[in-house]
Amino acid sequence: MSQVAAIMMDVAGNHGAVHRFGGEEFAIVMLGTDQKEARSLAERLRGGIDRAPITYLGRPLGTVTVSIGVASTQDGQPSTNLMQRQASLLRAKAGGRNVVITDWATGDAERRAV
């Protein structure tokens, strides 16, 4: 888990802050980021984890994949609204592995399996 978190922090860089909000769930909060930038970061994150030699107790785990939901909120909306949108993206986990799903504040949803 710490290796995945390190990859997240590296990919997020100055673009956002990484937070853990569940057992195996993390969030990167990015202010003022458009949909294209957010999706690009999510794809870099997904690919970085997919290619990383992740180990547990010194033993290689093989390929580790992630399901990523990208969501937004509009100015003036409470932050709880974003968390509700993010909760709806749990379908990324149910819909398969190694996917990025976007759900932008405009209501547009897009699924891209990778």
Side-chain angles (χ1 to χ4, degrees):
M1 202 53 96
S2 62
Q3 292 166 308
V4 171
I7 294 168
M8 290 183 70
M9 289 186 291
D10 184 53
V11 169
N14 294 328
H15 300 288
V18 178
H19 302 277
R20 186 175 186 171
F21 68 90
E24 295 179 352
E25 295 174 348
F26 294 84
I28 299 176
V29 178
M30 299 176 288
L31 299 176
T33 303
D34 66 23
Q35 186 173 13
K36 185 177 179 180
E37 281 181 286
R39 181 160 191 92
S40 175
L41 186 133
E43 290 291 355
R44 286 194 320 267
L45 176 60
R46 186 205 52 77
I49 292 170
D50 186 48
R51 291 185 302 273
I54 304 213
T55 62
Y56 179 72
L57 298 175
R59 295 187 175 162
L61 291 179
T63 301
V64 174
T65 61
V66 294
S67 299
I68 299 174
V70 179
S72 72
T73 188
Q74 295 175 339
D75 290 342
Q77 291 180 332
S79 59
T80 54
N81 190 359
L82 179 58
M83 296 314 292
Q84 289 168 350
R85 294 179 67 78
Q86 188 64 22
S88 72
L89 292 175
L90 290 176
R91 66 179 192 237
K93 291 169 82 172
R97 299 283 187 248
N98 216 20
V99 297
V100 172
I101 294 179
T102 61
D103 188 1
W104 217 244
T106 61
D108 298 334
E110 171 191 347
R111 179 174 193 261
R112 179 168 177 238
V114 287

